[in-house]
Amino acid sequence: MKVSFIGGFYGSGKTTLISEMSKKLKEDGKTVLFIDNEKGNSNVDPLFVRELGFDGDELTGGCICFYLDRLKEIMRNIEDKSKKDVLFVEPVSYFLPSKLYFDLRNEFGDEIDLSPITILLDGRELKDVLDNDREFPLIDARQVKDAEIVVINKLDLLSEDELKDIKEMVYELNPNVEIHSVSAKNGNNLDELLEILLKETHQGSDFKSPAMFQEYLKSVSGINERGEEFKFQSKTPLNQPKTQELVQDIFQNLKNDITNTGGKIHHIKAYINDGDSYIKASMPRATNEVDITGKVNKIQKGHLVLNVIAEEVPDDLIYGTMLKTIAKIKNKHKIKIEN
Ligand SMILES: Nc1nc2c(ncn2[C@@H]2O[C@H](COP(=O)(O)OP(=O)(O)OP(=O)(O)O)[C@@H](O)[C@H]2O)c(=O)[nH]1
Ligand SMILES: [Mg+2]
């Protein structure tokens, strides 16, 4: 069984990339498994991946780094590993894959075939870094130094010159890394990347020491995440534009409240489902735009899952902001929402 971890910062497009590559594998008759690792109680990404029909497991509560035994247990419980084709794992976004690869090699040896350490970068965010002469974001930089393959995503939003400049920044951080560029959204270069991930193998880990890893974890400890599920019921059925309007309103309220308390948003995600149809909405750090996937017809009763990832704001406050937002939205859109 090929095991491929797709690392990378919040909103870089990991879930989109994994689901698009999984669709391709499924079309070729391959079996694909997916493990998602998030901090929240209830999370958008695994719901979305299951909606697409892939077998998945969820490792919630915190970073894989603290729950490695649970990951190993999930992997140990996968029956007939030799008959499964690919397991994709999406780790918590600040995680350093080299630590994980080091532990997994010790545990599973030849039983699994690890793809090279792969880090996905948000091309849109790096365009902003170039345009505004900002420093390369700290966590992304550490992950690039840790990677064997760097994938620049959101190629559809980049010019050739911007891509060239981004590649230069990446090589400066890690001269030995293999760079690819894709658009997970429109499928550009995905076949080539998939072939590489399936064919190439991780070449030994450069993981330095547990002490250095602890240092790294301290530096990312300001990032908090909350994932909660709510039930909703609307008096009148919501069509696609109305549902989008509702999500826009929720996201704007969350964003304003968190920014006003001095927090910095990394990613807001929502998933609305009534059992027949769904929409997934996402607002990554690089844009203030709400990006919608999926379609609803007339949705009246169902679930709303919200994930908010932000820095410099405690997770209790994130939760408080969610509740405040829900209270406002209820009145304005005349819907009942409760958790
Ligand atoms: N324009 C463009 N948008 C993309 C592309 N890939 C992903 N996105 C969008 O980027 C946003 C974040 O994508 P996700 O796949 O949820 O990112 P993620 O890395 O899984 O995010 P976390 O799980 O929160 O860390 C979504 O709105 C996607 O639709 C791409 O190639 N081009
Ligand atoms: Mg994701």
Side-chain angles (χ1 to χ4, degrees), residues 36 38 40-47 58 60 225 227 305 307:
D36 185 54
E38 301 215 38
N41 296 326
S42 195
N43 300 298
V44 170
D45 292 349
L47 289 170
E58 218 179 329
T60 56
E225 182 169 348
V305 177
N307 287 173

Side-chain angles (χ1 to χ4, degrees), residues 9-16 18 34 36-38 44-46 49 90-91 93 267 269 280 307:
F9 201 75
Y10 295 100
S12 53
K14 300 177 293 298
T15 309
T16 311
I18 291 173
F34 171 64
D36 185 54
N37 169 220
E38 301 215 38
V44 170
D45 292 349
V49 172
E90 179 178 338
S93 305
H267 202 179
K269 297 184 268 190
K280 176 182 172 263
N307 287 173

Side-chain angles (χ1 to χ4, degrees), residues 8-17 38 45 90 93 153-157 182-186 267 269 280 282 284 291 293 309:
F9 201 75
Y10 295 100
S12 53
K14 300 177 293 298
T15 309
T16 311
L17 178 70
E38 301 215 38
D45 292 349
E90 179 178 338
S93 305
N153 188 29
K154 311 196 183 178
L155 193 55
D156 52 300
L157 303 177
V182 301
S183 169
K185 201 168 187 178
N186 69 18
H267 202 179
K269 297 184 268 190
K280 176 182 172 263
S282 172
D291 188 33
T293 320
I309 301 127

